[in-house]
Amino acid sequence: MAQAVEEWYKQMPIITRSYLTAAVVTTVGCSLDIISPYNLYLNPTLVVKQYQYWRLVTNFLYFRKMDLDFMFHMFFLARYCKLLEENSFRGKTADFLYMLLFGATVLTGIVLIGGMIPYLSASFAKIIFLSNSLTFMMVYVWSKQNPYIHMSFLGLFTFTAAYLPWVLLGFSILVGASAWVDLLGMIAGHAYYFLAEVYPRMTNRRPLKTPSFLKALFADEPVVVARPENVRFAAAPFDEIHQD
């Protein structure tokens, strides 16, 4: 059993393995009182006035107390983060990391701006950890890229992956969890999907281009697909033609 878990862990792609490890270590550390959540949560005042910039990162690593909800989110983190990195972003590790950085930036910006809007500031003030929202963003992006996959929810009913975020949002509301957390993840996920895939097809422009310094960090090997003889292929899609 231990060997099987070790093999499963080692086979994870680098970004998924790193994020999952950091999330588990941080959450376990807080549960054992080794780390204080008060040193991790997102606090704009402390970030700006006391230069505690680590809070911009650590609030994405803590998943609250270790309970069923924690296991639920670890499953989604391990599954959909891995699926994205191994499939949609196969051979494009830097692009995948950039997607996560983009999502984290959008989520942080929404919370900071929302905290300054009357009638909404009280709701946004309660959102001090964005780890669940970032996980939900990955679920949303995966569902948009794989909309026709058939899925089952607890064996109760089946649906296609395009509706997965909405099913999970409904489940969160049903169990009394905050819908804001999931909605923020959907907003960030839709922003990325639109700018990375929809907008380029509409305008032949790519507003989201992975910075060269991120690409320099990862020596991604090109993905080679065997080409059968006497088979004609359509022209390469826009993303491949304009790939740096």
Side-chain angles (χ1 to χ4, degrees), residues 157-202:
F157 59 91
T158 58
F159 56 94
T160 57
Y163 298 100
L164 177 60
W166 301 101
V167 171
L168 295 179
L169 175 62
F171 179 74
S172 296
I173 296 174
L174 187 65
V175 298
S178 173
W180 276 109
V181 172
D182 294 349
L183 286 173
L184 290 180
M186 294 173 70
I187 293 172
H190 190 75
Y192 175 82
Y193 181 77
F194 178 81
L195 293 175
E197 301 196 25
V198 178
Y199 185 78
R201 297 195 193 104
M202 295 168 55

Side-chain angles (χ1 to χ4, degrees), residues 200-211:
R201 297 195 193 104
M202 295 168 55
T203 63
N204 287 342
R205 297 178 181 177
R206 292 177 59 87
L208 293 182
K209 296 184 65 175
T210 304

Side-chain angles (χ1 to χ4, degrees), residues 29-132:
C30 290
S31 298
L32 298 176
D33 292 330
I34 299 174
I35 306 172
S36 173
Y38 293 102
N39 294 325
L40 306 178
Y41 76 97
L42 180 62
N43 186 316
T45 302
L46 295 178
V47 171
V48 175
K49 294 185 177 181
Q50 297 189 23
Y51 312 110
Q52 297 183 8
Y53 299 121
W54 68 82
R55 294 179 183 273
L56 297 174
V57 176
T58 55
N59 80 92
F60 291 100
L61 302 179
Y62 181 49
F63 283 79
R64 306 299 179 101
K65 59 184 180 179
M66 296 185 65
D67 53 10
L68 184 60
D69 183 67
F70 170 76
M71 300 302 297
F72 181 77
H73 282 92
M74 287 300 99
F75 168 78
F76 277 96
L77 172 60
R79 176 175 173 78
Y80 293 101
C81 190
K82 182 173 182 285
L83 285 173
L84 283 173
E85 191 171 358
E86 287 185 341
N87 294 285
S88 302
F89 292 90
R90 184 182 180 189
K92 299 184 289 185
T93 305
D95 294 343
F96 183 63
L97 177 59
Y98 187 57
M99 183 201 76
L100 294 181
L101 293 176
F102 172 83
T105 302
V106 170
L107 290 170
T108 302
I110 291 175
V111 171
L112 295 182
I113 295 174
M116 297 184 290
I117 300 177
Y119 305 109
L120 292 178
S121 58
S123 297
F124 281 102
K126 298 177 182 178
I127 304 175
I128 57 178
F129 292 103
L130 291 166
S131 48
N132 291 348

